[in-house]
Amino acid sequence: PRQPAKTLWYDRPRYVFLEFCVEDSTDVKVVIEDHRLVFSCKNADGVEFYNEINLYARVNSKDSQEKRSDRSITCFMRKWKEKVAWPRITKENIKPAWLSMDFDNWRDWEGDDEVERAMVEEYAEV
């Protein structure tokens, strides 16, 4: 039986970040398209996770990446229109039960370019 992974998201001037909270993931597949993201994996117990998100706005799928850790899989997607805030991650104005805003990483954008650039560079080095 497939189930959606608990997902956190937050918005930055150039990127939108999504974190799929699955520990010890295997068979991770992330497909980032201009208007859609599809995520799937299994955990150590063999449970299958699957999330499909129709994105609020267009992203540059060629300049988007994901990074896997023991605790989660983080995707960062380059916005097509930079410095335009996304009020939500989904195209539809509904909030699935598995989706939450990541308040730990959410903050005002002023002076945030440097922080964001450092984060993206840090991910890219992995």
Side-chain angles (χ1 to χ4, degrees):
R2 290 196 312 189
Q3 63 186 66
K6 177 176 186 289
T7 308
L8 299 172
W9 81 281
Y10 58 100
D11 188 32
R12 284 285 190 271
R14 291 192 180 87
Y15 288 85
V16 179
F17 290 79
L18 272 170
E19 183 178 10
F20 297 99
C21 305
V22 180
E23 292 190 11
D24 303 323
S25 57
T26 58
D27 298 340
V28 175
K29 291 185 188 68
V30 177
V31 179
I32 298 172
E33 298 169 355
D34 289 352
H35 291 281
R36 188 172 77 123
L37 179 140
V38 179
F39 167 81
S40 64
C41 75
K42 291 183 180 143
N43 70 5
D45 300 326
V47 177
E48 283 186 49
F49 292 92
Y50 178 86
N51 298 62
E52 187 173 328
I53 299 171
N54 290 314
L55 299 169
Y56 172 76
R58 185 174 178 189
V59 296
N60 182 347
S61 52
K62 292 180 180 50
D63 191 13
S64 299
Q65 302 171 50
E66 75 273 350
K67 176 191 166 202
R68 186 193 162 280
S69 73
D70 293 339
R71 294 201 338 264
S72 64
I73 300 91
T74 303
C75 303
F76 45 103
M77 298 173 289
R78 184 80 178 243
K79 293 177 176 181
W80 197 257
K81 289 192 173 105
E82 293 187 1
K83 302 195 175 172
V84 176
W86 286 26
R88 58 183 187 273
I89 191 80
T90 55
K91 184 179 174 66
E92 306 83 13
N93 193 5
I94 48 166
K95 190 184 153 308
W98 46 265
L99 182 65
S100 312
M101 198 172 274
D102 185 345
F103 288 107
D104 291 345
N105 283 303
W106 196 273
R107 60 170 93 87
D108 284 336
W109 283 1
E110 270 176 53
D112 221 27
D113 281 358
E114 293 303 311
V115 174
E116 183 184 38
R117 198 171 299 125
M119 279 173 66
V120 169
E121 282 169 10
E122 181 188 315
Y123 277 130
E125 284 166 19
V126 175

